[in-house]
Amino acid sequence: MALPTSLNGFVVLPVAYSSSSTHYIYARSHAGAKKASQNSLPEGRTLFLSNIPPDATERELSHLFKQSGTVERVVFDVDAVEPHQEDSDSDEEEEDNQDPETDVAMEPRKRRKVSKDDTPKVVPLPTKPLRTLRPAGRSAHIVFLDTSSLQRALSSATKPRPWPTISEEPSGLIHYTSLYDLLRPPLDAVKEHADSSILVYEYNLQKSKQKSEYRKGEAIVDDDGFTLVTRGGAFGKTLGGGMGVASKHFQRTGQTSKRNRNAKKEAKEKTDFYAFQKAEKQRSELMNLKKRWEEDKAKVEALKASRRFKPY
């Protein structure tokens, strides 16, 4: 059964991965808003593709339509950016570029001191270029340099086009094996990465302590003239050091701590040490047990007497 050349306004483009597998891409001319078409996706030379392969790259799509004409750029649906955002970003970049020129014109030139940067840096783990896997059934836009290239790309193909293969970025099973190896780097690389991360953390911690305004021996006074105080110890302490306020326990009792270290512990009487103590303890336990038994017995008799139903 022959496949249709067009379907709901889309041109069917068969792509051959191998002699036994064929993938179908649906293409049509892009038609969008006027503002968007003027900047990012111009009409007349933009091709809209649907159902592209999940592991397709910009280079592969450019090679696929190389015979139709020169491809200016490839935009995936996930990477598409609205035109007004691009304009705002470009305006901000222009403003940033203009500011340093005005600053340089206003301030006199100064000699820069060349010093070695001793800041530790994190050693990255080994990486390898891998292709991005996108969800199946996604779309993309291909922008050509001229309109004639778009017309040639939309011409129906009688034979499936061969899918270009690029060895720099592995695909298929080799992609997953490379990803597996990349997620399990060698131990020496992991050790070097961890050691450098610890050095950077300690360096930043030491640098933050040097910049801190709370230094020992100096009381910190806020904008209103009050000394910042925190609770701690017998008399409390300020954030920077010096004398603070007394604690609530000291104000009530006048003692520096709740525990009196000089007070001797009371001697506890030893029980179950001598034989007569054990005998007396057992005797008292038996007497208490008998007493509770008699009390429970009396309660049971009282409950029987209070019963309304008497069968005999």
Side-chain angles (χ1 to χ4, degrees):
M1 180 179 179
L3 293 173
T5 57
S6 62
L7 182 65
N8 293 334
F10 286 87
V11 177
V12 180
L13 301 178
V15 177
Y17 275 98
S18 63
S19 59
S20 59
S21 61
T22 305
H23 184 82
Y24 295 94
I25 300 176
Y26 305 97
R28 65 172 175 82
S29 178
H30 171 70
K34 294 182 179 180
K35 295 182 179 179
S37 61
Q38 291 176 359
N39 295 328
S40 60
L41 302 174
E43 290 187 10
R45 56 190 183 95
T46 302
L47 180 66
F48 174 74
L49 300 178
S50 180
N51 195 34
I52 59 175
D55 58 346
T57 61
E58 296 182 7
R59 190 174 179 182
E60 290 175 345
L61 291 176
S62 300
H63 279 275
L64 182 65
F65 293 95
K66 186 177 181 180
Q67 297 178 356
S68 302
T70 306
V71 177
E72 180 180 347
R73 66 178 183 274
V74 178
V75 182
F76 292 95
D77 58 349
V78 181
D79 304 332
V81 182
E82 295 182 1
H84 69 274
Q85 293 182 353
E86 295 179 353
D87 297 340
S88 61
D89 294 341
S90 60
D91 295 340
E92 291 178 359
E93 291 179 359
E94 291 177 358
E95 292 177 358
D96 294 340
N97 295 332
Q98 292 177 0
D99 290 340
E101 296 178 357
T102 56
D103 295 340
V104 172
M106 294 295 293
E107 297 181 359
R109 294 183 179 180
K110 296 182 180 179
R111 294 182 180 180
R112 296 180 180 178
K113 296 182 180 180
V114 180
S115 59
K116 296 182 179 179
D117 189 8
D118 298 334
T119 304
K121 297 181 180 179
V122 178
V123 178
L125 293 173
T127 58
K128 186 177 181 181
L130 295 176
R131 62 179 64 212
T132 303
L133 297 182
R134 298 175 177 85
R138 289 303 181 96
S139 59
H141 294 81
I142 297 180
V143 181
F144 294 97
L145 287 178
D146 50 7
T147 57
S148 60
S149 301
L150 177 62
Q151 298 300 328
R152 287 192 295 269
L154 289 174
S155 61
S156 59
T158 56
K159 295 181 180 180
R161 302 182 183 182
W163 183 259
T165 56
I166 301 175
S167 59
E168 296 177 359
E169 298 179 351
S171 60
L173 184 60
I174 304 177
H175 168 80
Y176 290 100
T177 54
S178 302
L179 180 61
Y180 180 87
D181 297 336
L182 187 63
L183 294 177
R184 290 159 180 82
L187 293 180
D188 54 349
V190 175
K191 182 179 181 302
E192 189 176 4
H193 175 73
D195 293 341
S196 60
S197 300
I198 294 173
L199 288 177
V200 171
Y201 172 76
E202 292 177 351
Y203 175 80
N204 294 332
L205 184 63
Q206 188 67 23
K207 197 173 181 180
S208 62
K209 288 182 179 179
Q210 292 177 359
K211 292 182 179 180
S212 178
E213 59 180 353
Y214 303 116
R215 297 182 180 179
K216 188 176 181 181
E218 299 178 2
I220 306 302
V221 182
D222 59 5
D223 297 336
D224 297 331
F226 294 97
T227 303
L228 303 179
V229 179
T230 58
R231 293 287 178 188
F235 298 96
K237 60 181 179 180
T238 59
L239 287 177
M243 184 62 65
V245 298
S247 61
K248 294 181 179 179
H249 178 72
F250 181 80
Q251 293 176 2
R252 290 196 305 268
T253 61
Q255 297 179 358
T256 57
S257 62
K258 296 181 179 180
R259 296 180 299 175
N260 190 0
R261 299 178 181 178
N262 297 326
K264 295 182 180 180
K265 296 181 180 180
E266 297 180 358
K268 295 182 179 180
E269 184 180 357
K270 296 181 179 180
T271 58
D272 299 341
F273 185 76
Y274 298 100
F276 72 92
Q277 291 179 340
K278 294 181 180 180
E280 288 180 357
K281 185 178 179 180
Q282 292 177 358
R283 191 181 301 110
S284 61
E285 289 178 355
L286 286 174
M287 295 297 293
N288 292 333
L289 184 61
K290 290 180 180 180
K291 184 178 179 181
R292 290 197 298 269
W293 165 254
E294 295 296 336
E295 291 177 355
D296 294 341
K297 191 176 179 181
K299 288 180 181 179
V300 172
E301 294 296 337
L303 290 174
K304 288 182 179 180
S306 63
R307 283 192 309 183
R308 295 182 179 180
F309 178 70
K310 297 179 179 180
Y312 51 86

